[in-house]
Amino acid sequence: MNMAVLDYHHQEKWPNGFGQLQSPINLLPATPADPSTLKIETSWRVTQEIDDQVTIRLTGTGRTRIDQDQWQLMQAHIHVPAEHQITNQHAAELHFVHQSAIGALCVVAVLLPLGPDNVVLEQILDHFAAHSTRSVAFSLDQLIPQQGTVYRYLGSLTTPPLTEGVAWYVIDQTAVTIGTQQLHRYQQLFADNHRHIQARYQRPVLRSVFTKTAN
């Protein structure tokens, strides 16, 4: 579905036909689980920055290992305000969409609190060109914190076609922030683009200590 047609003020009109595994959700309560690690095996290199009229979409390449599973980075984008909730809503949420060798989907999400300006986000904003696609060359590796808390559950894409069966890996942390002025710059470009909280339907959510391991 063309992202440009999405109307976040009338989400009830989005094409659906989905089941009981929709995202985003409130991540609490969550069940304690074993520690989890994420390793960026080959750098997340961005090659294109796209104005899709809903958000800034970044396409590129990179290989990621989450615990024992390997994934390929397909694209990344930004939601303001954050879509997933814990005790309250964060200022923004980064989504790094991955695919496995057999086509399974995993989204690594990073919840961003307000804080100091972020160098990579500044680069993204500075390279943005409205109504166009630009060739770029920079890394997103530093948008993943060294540590935090990760919430894992089975959900869906948060934009149509709202495909279910997506493995979510949502990182709550304080090291990677978005500055107040950066948030304002983004909001000048795009209206709020967060999907409403969806029913959980007794789905389990696992919570564990998160660590980013060395390349």
Side-chain angles (χ1 to χ4, degrees):
M1 180 175 181
N2 185 346
M3 293 282 286
V5 306
L6 287 188
D7 182 354
Y8 277 85
H9 295 292
H10 297 94
Q11 297 181 28
E12 72 282 356
K13 296 182 180 179
W14 289 5
N16 51 50
F18 41 74
Q20 297 184 351
L21 296 176
Q22 288 294 293
S23 297
I25 62 172
N26 190 315
L27 297 167
L28 295 179
T31 302
D34 292 336
S36 181
T37 60
L38 181 151
K39 181 179 182 180
I40 299 176
E41 293 187 325
T42 59
S43 182
W44 294 357
R45 301 296 302 178
V46 175
T47 56
Q48 287 189 321
E49 184 164 333
I50 302 162
D51 175 9
D52 64 17
Q53 299 183 50
V54 173
T55 186
I56 300 173
R57 182 153 46 93
L58 307 161
T59 60
T61 60
R63 188 173 69 245
T64 308
R65 183 172 294 278
I66 298 175
D67 299 324
Q68 301 305 312
D69 298 321
Q70 192 176 81
W71 305 88
Q72 294 291 331
L73 177 69
M74 306 300 289
Q75 56 113 330
H77 56 268
I78 306 167
H79 291 275
V80 173
E83 296 195 304
H84 288 88
Q85 293 186 23
I86 303 176
T87 53
N88 48 41
Q89 193 170 42
H90 287 67
E93 182 171 331
L94 298 173
H95 286 175
F96 302 93
V97 183
H98 289 73
Q99 191 171 53
S100 74
I102 60 172
L105 293 175
C106 173
V107 180
V108 176
V110 180
L111 300 176
L112 300 181
L114 280 175
D117 284 352
N118 181 280
V119 173
V120 181
L121 292 179
E122 193 74 12
Q123 197 171 22
I124 292 169
L125 289 166
D126 287 346
H127 282 84
F128 178 78
H131 310 296
S132 66
T133 296
R134 296 190 65 182
S135 295
V136 293
F138 55 85
S139 170
L140 301 179
D141 295 4
Q142 296 307 310
L143 293 177
I144 297 294
Q146 291 299 128
Q147 58 188 14
T149 300
V150 65
Y151 295 84
R152 290 172 287 173
Y153 78 99
L154 193 62
S156 73
L157 298 178
T158 64
T159 57
L162 305 170
T163 304
E164 295 190 336
V166 176
W168 278 90
Y169 194 86
V170 184
I171 302 168
D172 184 26
Q173 50 82 53
T174 57
V176 180
T177 60
I178 185 170
T180 301
Q181 185 59 31
Q182 291 178 325
L183 185 66
H184 178 70
R185 286 179 67 186
Y186 182 89
Q187 291 172 320
Q188 292 294 105
L189 297 170
F190 302 102
D192 287 0
N193 64 348
H194 70 290
R195 190 185 187 197
H196 300 154
I197 290 291
Q198 302 297 300
R200 184 158 158 175
Y201 292 114
Q202 306 301 313
R203 273 177 284 174
V205 176
L206 301 181
R207 181 187 72 246
S208 60
V209 173
F210 160 80
T211 304
K212 177 184 176 183
T213 61
N215 291 15

mmCIF file of all heavy atoms in Angstrom, residues 40-48 58-64 71-76 96-98 136-141:
data_model
loop_
_atom_site.group_PDB
_atom_site.id
_atom_site.type_symbol
_atom_site.label_atom_id
_atom_site.label_comp_id
_atom_site.label_asym_id
_atom_site.label_seq_id
_atom_site.Cartn_x
_atom_site.Cartn_y
_atom_site.Cartn_z
ATOM 1 N N ILE A 40 25.486 -6.141 15.395
ATOM 2 C CA ILE A 40 25.465 -5.674 14.017
ATOM 3 C C ILE A 40 26.685 -6.292 13.333
ATOM 4 O O ILE A 40 27.809 -5.825 13.497
ATOM 5 C CB ILE A 40 25.478 -4.144 13.938
ATOM 6 C CG1 ILE A 40 24.216 -3.577 14.628
ATOM 7 C CG2 ILE A 40 25.547 -3.668 12.491
ATOM 8 C CD1 ILE A 40 24.178 -2.066 14.702
ATOM 9 N N GLU A 41 26.459 -7.362 12.577
ATOM 10 C CA GLU A 41 27.565 -8.113 11.989
ATOM 11 C C GLU A 41 28.182 -7.388 10.797
ATOM 12 O O GLU A 41 29.397 -7.441 10.597
ATOM 13 C CB GLU A 41 27.093 -9.509 11.586
ATOM 14 C CG GLU A 41 26.720 -10.377 12.780
ATOM 15 C CD GLU A 41 26.424 -11.808 12.392
ATOM 16 O OE1 GLU A 41 25.865 -12.039 11.302
ATOM 17 O OE2 GLU A 41 26.742 -12.704 13.196
ATOM 18 N N THR A 42 27.358 -6.749 9.978
ATOM 19 C CA THR A 42 27.859 -5.833 8.951
ATOM 20 C C THR A 42 27.080 -4.536 9.084
ATOM 21 O O THR A 42 25.866 -4.538 9.310
ATOM 22 C CB THR A 42 27.700 -6.402 7.522
ATOM 23 O OG1 THR A 42 26.316 -6.666 7.256
ATOM 24 C CG2 THR A 42 28.484 -7.700 7.380
ATOM 25 N N SER A 43 27.769 -3.432 8.975
ATOM 26 C CA SER A 43 27.223 -2.116 9.293
ATOM 27 C C SER A 43 25.903 -1.834 8.587
ATOM 28 O O SER A 43 25.701 -2.213 7.432
ATOM 29 C CB SER A 43 28.243 -1.044 8.917
ATOM 30 O OG SER A 43 27.776 0.247 9.255
ATOM 31 N N TRP A 44 25.003 -1.158 9.308
ATOM 32 C CA TRP A 44 23.730 -0.728 8.738
ATOM 33 C C TRP A 44 23.996 0.530 7.908
ATOM 34 O O TRP A 44 23.995 1.647 8.429
ATOM 35 C CB TRP A 44 22.724 -0.429 9.833
ATOM 36 C CG TRP A 44 22.302 -1.633 10.642
ATOM 37 C CD1 TRP A 44 22.670 -2.931 10.467
ATOM 38 C CD2 TRP A 44 21.404 -1.623 11.752
ATOM 39 N NE1 TRP A 44 22.073 -3.738 11.394
ATOM 40 C CE2 TRP A 44 21.284 -2.964 12.199
ATOM 41 C CE3 TRP A 44 20.693 -0.637 12.416
ATOM 42 C CZ2 TRP A 44 20.478 -3.322 13.286
ATOM 43 C CZ3 TRP A 44 19.898 -0.981 13.492
ATOM 44 C CH2 TRP A 44 19.781 -2.309 13.920
ATOM 45 N N ARG A 45 24.231 0.343 6.616
ATOM 46 C CA ARG A 45 24.572 1.442 5.721
ATOM 47 C C ARG A 45 23.351 1.895 4.930
ATOM 48 O O ARG A 45 22.700 1.102 4.254
ATOM 49 C CB ARG A 45 25.671 1.022 4.741
ATOM 50 C CG ARG A 45 26.965 0.574 5.379
ATOM 51 C CD ARG A 45 27.657 1.671 6.164
ATOM 52 N NE ARG A 45 27.947 2.844 5.334
ATOM 53 C CZ ARG A 45 28.518 3.943 5.807
ATOM 54 N NH1 ARG A 45 28.836 4.043 7.097
ATOM 55 N NH2 ARG A 45 28.759 4.962 5.001
ATOM 56 N N VAL A 46 23.029 3.171 5.022
ATOM 57 C CA VAL A 46 21.897 3.746 4.313
ATOM 58 C C VAL A 46 22.341 4.195 2.919
ATOM 59 O O VAL A 46 23.378 4.848 2.773
ATOM 60 C CB VAL A 46 21.317 4.948 5.086
ATOM 61 C CG1 VAL A 46 20.215 5.624 4.285
ATOM 62 C CG2 VAL A 46 20.795 4.504 6.427
ATOM 63 N N THR A 47 21.551 3.839 1.908
ATOM 64 C CA THR A 47 21.862 4.245 0.536
ATOM 65 C C THR A 47 20.837 5.217 -0.045
ATOM 66 O O THR A 47 21.145 5.944 -0.978
ATOM 67 C CB THR A 47 21.954 3.014 -0.387
ATOM 68 O OG1 THR A 47 20.729 2.272 -0.302
ATOM 69 C CG2 THR A 47 23.109 2.112 0.051
ATOM 70 N N GLN A 48 19.614 5.211 0.501
ATOM 71 C CA GLN A 48 18.580 6.133 0.025
ATOM 72 C C GLN A 48 17.795 6.712 1.187
ATOM 73 O O GLN A 48 17.511 6.011 2.161
ATOM 74 C CB GLN A 48 17.605 5.430 -0.921
ATOM 75 C CG GLN A 48 18.148 5.120 -2.304
ATOM 76 C CD GLN A 48 17.056 4.627 -3.233
ATOM 77 O OE1 GLN A 48 16.180 3.880 -2.829
ATOM 78 N NE2 GLN A 48 17.094 5.058 -4.484
ATOM 79 N N LEU A 58 14.396 5.165 5.249
ATOM 80 C CA LEU A 58 15.800 4.947 4.917
ATOM 81 C C LEU A 58 15.985 3.517 4.443
ATOM 82 O O LEU A 58 15.618 2.578 5.155
ATOM 83 C CB LEU A 58 16.683 5.197 6.147
ATOM 84 C CG LEU A 58 16.488 6.556 6.828
ATOM 85 C CD1 LEU A 58 17.035 6.521 8.241
ATOM 86 C CD2 LEU A 58 17.144 7.662 6.020
ATOM 87 N N THR A 59 16.516 3.343 3.245
ATOM 88 C CA THR A 59 16.763 2.001 2.745
ATOM 89 C C THR A 59 18.263 1.756 2.658
ATOM 90 O O THR A 59 19.046 2.687 2.431
ATOM 91 C CB THR A 59 16.124 1.781 1.361
ATOM 92 O OG1 THR A 59 16.679 2.710 0.430
ATOM 93 C CG2 THR A 59 14.620 1.969 1.427
ATOM 94 N N GLY A 60 18.640 0.507 2.838
ATOM 95 C CA GLY A 60 20.053 0.187 2.798
ATOM 96 C C GLY A 60 20.296 -1.272 3.076
ATOM 97 O O GLY A 60 19.429 -2.125 2.833
ATOM 98 N N THR A 61 21.467 -1.580 3.607
ATOM 99 C CA THR A 61 21.876 -2.961 3.840
ATOM 100 C C THR A 61 22.536 -3.095 5.199
ATOM 101 O O THR A 61 22.982 -2.121 5.796
ATOM 102 C CB THR A 61 22.865 -3.430 2.764
ATOM 103 O OG1 THR A 61 24.032 -2.587 2.808
ATOM 104 C CG2 THR A 61 22.250 -3.370 1.374
ATOM 105 N N GLY A 62 22.614 -4.324 5.670
ATOM 106 C CA GLY A 62 23.276 -4.623 6.929
ATOM 107 C C GLY A 62 22.826 -5.973 7.434
ATOM 108 O O GLY A 62 21.697 -6.398 7.140
ATOM 109 N N ARG A 63 23.682 -6.641 8.153
ATOM 110 C CA ARG A 63 23.344 -7.957 8.707
ATOM 111 C C ARG A 63 23.379 -7.889 10.220
ATOM 112 O O ARG A 63 24.308 -7.348 10.804
ATOM 113 C CB ARG A 63 24.316 -9.028 8.196
ATOM 114 C CG ARG A 63 23.892 -10.449 8.584
ATOM 115 C CD ARG A 63 24.767 -11.510 7.930
ATOM 116 N NE ARG A 63 26.124 -11.501 8.469
ATOM 117 C CZ ARG A 63 27.205 -11.195 7.759
ATOM 118 N NH1 ARG A 63 27.100 -10.859 6.479
ATOM 119 N NH2 ARG A 63 28.403 -11.207 8.321
ATOM 120 N N THR A 64 22.341 -8.447 10.840
ATOM 121 C CA THR A 64 22.156 -8.368 12.284
ATOM 122 C C THR A 64 21.958 -9.760 12.860
ATOM 123 O O THR A 64 21.225 -10.568 12.284
ATOM 124 C CB THR A 64 20.913 -7.514 12.609
ATOM 125 O OG1 THR A 64 20.997 -6.259 11.920
ATOM 126 C CG2 THR A 64 20.788 -7.280 14.113
ATOM 127 N N TRP A 71 19.490 -11.811 10.605
ATOM 128 C CA TRP A 71 18.516 -11.023 9.855
ATOM 129 C C TRP A 71 19.229 -10.040 8.940
ATOM 130 O O TRP A 71 20.338 -9.590 9.244
ATOM 131 C CB TRP A 71 17.615 -10.230 10.806
ATOM 132 C CG TRP A 71 16.909 -11.054 11.829
ATOM 133 C CD1 TRP A 71 17.374 -11.422 13.072
ATOM 134 C CD2 TRP A 71 15.608 -11.637 11.709
ATOM 135 N NE1 TRP A 71 16.440 -12.177 13.726
ATOM 136 C CE2 TRP A 71 15.341 -12.336 12.912
ATOM 137 C CE3 TRP A 71 14.636 -11.623 10.706
ATOM 138 C CZ2 TRP A 71 14.151 -13.004 13.137
ATOM 139 C CZ3 TRP A 71 13.451 -12.299 10.934
ATOM 140 C CH2 TRP A 71 13.216 -12.973 12.130
ATOM 141 N N GLN A 72 18.560 -9.660 7.855
ATOM 142 C CA GLN A 72 19.055 -8.636 6.942
ATOM 143 C C GLN A 72 18.213 -7.363 7.094
ATOM 144 O O GLN A 72 16.982 -7.423 7.040
ATOM 145 C CB GLN A 72 18.987 -9.124 5.491
ATOM 146 C CG GLN A 72 19.910 -10.282 5.168
ATOM 147 C CD GLN A 72 21.378 -9.890 5.177
ATOM 148 O OE1 GLN A 72 21.739 -8.745 4.899
ATOM 149 N NE2 GLN A 72 22.235 -10.849 5.516
ATOM 150 N N LEU A 73 18.892 -6.231 7.276
ATOM 151 C CA LEU A 73 18.179 -4.956 7.366
ATOM 152 C C LEU A 73 17.602 -4.587 6.002
ATOM 153 O O LEU A 73 18.303 -4.635 4.988
ATOM 154 C CB LEU A 73 19.127 -3.854 7.837
ATOM 155 C CG LEU A 73 18.521 -2.447 7.911
ATOM 156 C CD1 LEU A 73 17.500 -2.369 9.042
ATOM 157 C CD2 LEU A 73 19.611 -1.404 8.100
ATOM 158 N N MET A 74 16.327 -4.222 5.986
ATOM 159 C CA MET A 74 15.657 -3.825 4.753
ATOM 160 C C MET A 74 15.456 -2.298 4.687
ATOM 161 O O MET A 74 15.749 -1.671 3.681
ATOM 162 C CB MET A 74 14.291 -4.513 4.644
ATOM 163 C CG MET A 74 14.345 -6.037 4.782
ATOM 164 S SD MET A 74 15.367 -6.820 3.509
ATOM 165 C CE MET A 74 14.318 -6.566 2.080
ATOM 166 N N GLN A 75 14.945 -1.736 5.769
ATOM 167 C CA GLN A 75 14.694 -0.295 5.803
ATOM 168 C C GLN A 75 14.490 0.152 7.235
ATOM 169 O O GLN A 75 14.265 -0.656 8.139
ATOM 170 C CB GLN A 75 13.477 0.071 4.948
ATOM 171 C CG GLN A 75 12.200 -0.645 5.313
ATOM 172 C CD GLN A 75 11.115 0.278 5.882
ATOM 173 O OE1 GLN A 75 11.400 1.297 6.511
ATOM 174 N NE2 GLN A 75 9.864 -0.085 5.670
ATOM 175 N N ALA A 76 14.563 1.461 7.435
ATOM 176 C CA ALA A 76 14.329 2.053 8.744
ATOM 177 C C ALA A 76 13.464 3.294 8.567
ATOM 178 O O ALA A 76 13.449 3.913 7.498
ATOM 179 C CB ALA A 76 15.652 2.416 9.417
ATOM 180 N N PHE A 96 13.622 -0.521 12.716
ATOM 181 C CA PHE A 96 14.587 -1.107 11.801
ATOM 182 C C PHE A 96 13.991 -2.435 11.335
ATOM 183 O O PHE A 96 13.960 -3.412 12.084
ATOM 184 C CB PHE A 96 15.928 -1.327 12.502
ATOM 185 C CG PHE A 96 16.520 -0.054 13.070
ATOM 186 C CD1 PHE A 96 16.279 0.314 14.395
ATOM 187 C CD2 PHE A 96 17.291 0.781 12.279
ATOM 188 C CE1 PHE A 96 16.816 1.481 14.921
ATOM 189 C CE2 PHE A 96 17.822 1.958 12.797
ATOM 190 C CZ PHE A 96 17.585 2.306 14.118
ATOM 191 N N VAL A 97 13.484 -2.455 10.110
ATOM 192 C CA VAL A 97 12.745 -3.607 9.594
ATOM 193 C C VAL A 97 13.729 -4.599 8.971
ATOM 194 O O VAL A 97 14.505 -4.235 8.078
ATOM 195 C CB VAL A 97 11.696 -3.169 8.565
ATOM 196 C CG1 VAL A 97 10.885 -4.374 8.092
ATOM 197 C CG2 VAL A 97 10.775 -2.095 9.160
ATOM 198 N N HIS A 98 13.677 -5.848 9.457
ATOM 199 C CA HIS A 98 14.576 -6.903 9.007
ATOM 200 C C HIS A 98 13.800 -8.063 8.403
ATOM 201 O O HIS A 98 12.618 -8.262 8.704
ATOM 202 C CB HIS A 98 15.391 -7.447 10.191
ATOM 203 C CG HIS A 98 16.423 -6.508 10.722
ATOM 204 N ND1 HIS A 98 16.108 -5.386 11.459
ATOM 205 C CD2 HIS A 98 17.786 -6.550 10.655
ATOM 206 C CE1 HIS A 98 17.234 -4.759 11.808
ATOM 207 N NE2 HIS A 98 18.250 -5.452 11.330
ATOM 208 N N VAL A 136 22.227 8.679 -0.413
ATOM 209 C CA VAL A 136 23.014 9.073 0.751
ATOM 210 C C VAL A 136 23.976 7.943 1.088
ATOM 211 O O VAL A 136 23.893 6.847 0.530
ATOM 212 C CB VAL A 136 22.117 9.387 1.974
ATOM 213 C CG1 VAL A 136 21.268 10.627 1.727
ATOM 214 C CG2 VAL A 136 21.239 8.193 2.318
ATOM 215 N N ALA A 137 24.869 8.202 2.012
ATOM 216 C CA ALA A 137 25.818 7.170 2.445
ATOM 217 C C ALA A 137 26.243 7.465 3.874
ATOM 218 O O ALA A 137 27.131 8.272 4.118
ATOM 219 C CB ALA A 137 27.032 7.130 1.517
ATOM 220 N N PHE A 138 25.547 6.855 4.830
ATOM 221 C CA PHE A 138 25.950 6.966 6.230
ATOM 222 C C PHE A 138 25.447 5.759 6.999
ATOM 223 O O PHE A 138 24.685 4.944 6.486
ATOM 224 C CB PHE A 138 25.487 8.285 6.865
ATOM 225 C CG PHE A 138 24.011 8.570 6.764
ATOM 226 C CD1 PHE A 138 23.122 8.063 7.698
ATOM 227 C CD2 PHE A 138 23.520 9.371 5.745
ATOM 228 C CE1 PHE A 138 21.772 8.334 7.621
ATOM 229 C CE2 PHE A 138 22.163 9.660 5.650
ATOM 230 C CZ PHE A 138 21.290 9.136 6.597
ATOM 231 N N SER A 139 25.903 5.638 8.234
ATOM 232 C CA SER A 139 25.612 4.460 9.054
ATOM 233 C C SER A 139 24.568 4.776 10.119
ATOM 234 O O SER A 139 24.535 5.880 10.671
ATOM 235 C CB SER A 139 26.906 3.983 9.733
ATOM 236 O OG SER A 139 26.628 2.990 10.696
ATOM 237 N N LEU A 140 23.738 3.756 10.403
ATOM 238 C CA LEU A 140 22.743 3.874 11.472
ATOM 239 C C LEU A 140 23.160 3.130 12.738
ATOM 240 O O LEU A 140 22.396 3.060 13.695
ATOM 241 C CB LEU A 140 21.398 3.315 10.987
ATOM 242 C CG LEU A 140 20.780 3.956 9.752
ATOM 243 C CD1 LEU A 140 19.463 3.259 9.406
ATOM 244 C CD2 LEU A 140 20.540 5.452 9.966
ATOM 245 N N ASP A 141 24.363 2.563 12.748
ATOM 246 C CA ASP A 141 24.785 1.688 13.847
ATOM 247 C C ASP A 141 24.650 2.342 15.220
ATOM 248 O O ASP A 141 24.292 1.682 16.205
ATOM 249 C CB ASP A 141 26.239 1.245 13.658
ATOM 250 C CG ASP A 141 26.439 0.372 12.427
ATOM 251 O OD1 ASP A 141 25.462 0.165 11.675
ATOM 252 O OD2 ASP A 141 27.572 -0.091 12.216
#
